[in-house]
Amino acid sequence: MTARWDEDSRADRVADTFRRLYGGSPDGVWAAPGRVNLIGEHTDYNDGFSLPMALPQTTLLAARARTDGRLRLHSAQGDGRITELAVAALTPGVVTGWAGYPAGVVWALAEAGHPVGGADLHFDSTVPTGAGLSSSAALECAVAVAYDELYGLHLRGPELARIAQRAENAFAGVPCGIMDQMASVCCTAEAALHLDARTPEHHRQVPFDLAGQGLRLLVIDTRVTHDLGDGAYAALRAGCERAAALLGLPALRDLPAGELTRALEALPAELVPLVRHVVTENARVAEAVSRLRAGDAAALGPILTAGHASLRDDYRVSCPETDLAVAAALEAGALGARMTGGGFGGSVIALVEAGRERAVGDCMTAAFATAGHRPPRVIEAAPGAGARRLTPTPATR
Ligand code: ADP
Ligand code: MG
């Protein structure tokens, strides 16, 4: 009830700001969520599996089509200015800063041959940025769903996700797999999304009734980002590709868990932990899905914690702050906890029994204070809906 009301009043506010910025009403207001990944990290670019869920935090977009090929962009979280571009002149490298993400989506749609033109766009988001919660995918996917309607494209969810991913990779210049965009577009409320990155079209909704099972999911934003992110990501990705090539496989996803030990003997030492993480992580996704389908969400706890150990010790993408948040959550009685997202900072998720949220939050704050870190931000998350239209076309224009 409250969430719905909040969303309606936020939609009214972005429409009001749109009118102030551009004059006249938007054609509609759309929402796209951030996400947390429950399990299946660094698997998407190995053609593997993941299990994200959408956050209640969303990026709202008030949008109106234009007939003159101009694209105007403004964000409440941007630099205060309206960026104005010509759709026909969009090319990778020409748009810098935050505007590259939404402009990239328009470019990617045009590049794929869709008949798209200009628009006036105003964004306002509650997804924390740079916290590993995919504010960038929320930004892109809001544009993708809005353009899909404004230009009558009728694209399916996975097609919109691919367009958004292409925007991020080729236009904004950020390498990422398909998971974030698939989660933002295709998740549904009270479910996690079982995603196979090789065939995103075959994703499945897995019921995830946290509240009904007396559970809560906490998202702890450590408010830390270590800058080695991009280069390290590229190196990990290259390592995985090299390992798959040495094993004669199209991707590491094709190595069955039962053949892991033998495969590791054939690999150079530096690739062993990477392969071990990817293969065991894919197995953890399968295990998590079967536990959820059996109605035992609490069983996710140890799976999350094992996933964190693998990211920390094998894949080596955790950092002292995420390790500390996981340790503090477990010490305060969480059923399980892990870093979520690409790593090198960002956020941690903790699965807790209802009623223990406060104890975990307090323990977290105390542990961060003792270690001399800024206090983390702790939010509670229930699985939300994917990208959608919020308000119909206002009549006045
Ligand atoms: P994450 O996706 O984990 O939040 P990224 O570094 O991938 O982190 O994306 C964050 C970037 O996305 C920001 O630095 C900004 O450029 C852009 N961004 C996301 N949301 C918004 C927004 N509402 N307004 C303007 N820029 C945004
Ligand atoms: Mg991102």
Side-chain angles (χ1 to χ4, degrees), residues 35 59-60 74-79 97-102 123-140 168 174 180 225:
R35 63 96 190 93
T59 297
L60 297 199
H74 181 271
S75 170
Q77 289 75 42
D79 51 13
W98 75 270
Y101 297 92
F123 302 92
D124 198 348
S125 182
T126 51
V127 185
T129 55
L133 303 177
S134 269
S135 69
S136 59
L139 187 59
E140 295 146 8
E168 182 145 350
V174 182
D180 298 352
T225 352

Side-chain angles (χ1 to χ4, degrees), residues 381-392:
R388 62 210 177 266
R389 186 184 179 118
L390 289 186
T391 63

Side-chain angles (χ1 to χ4, degrees), residues 294-312:
D296 186 7
L300 277 189
I303 302 175
L304 300 186
T305 307
H308 186 76
S310 182
L311 289 165
R312 182 191 59 211

Side-chain angles (χ1 to χ4, degrees), residues 53-66:
M53 63 171 228
L55 290 172
Q57 282 74 18
T58 52
T59 297
L60 297 199
L61 163 60
R64 178 176 64 200
R66 291 175 66 101

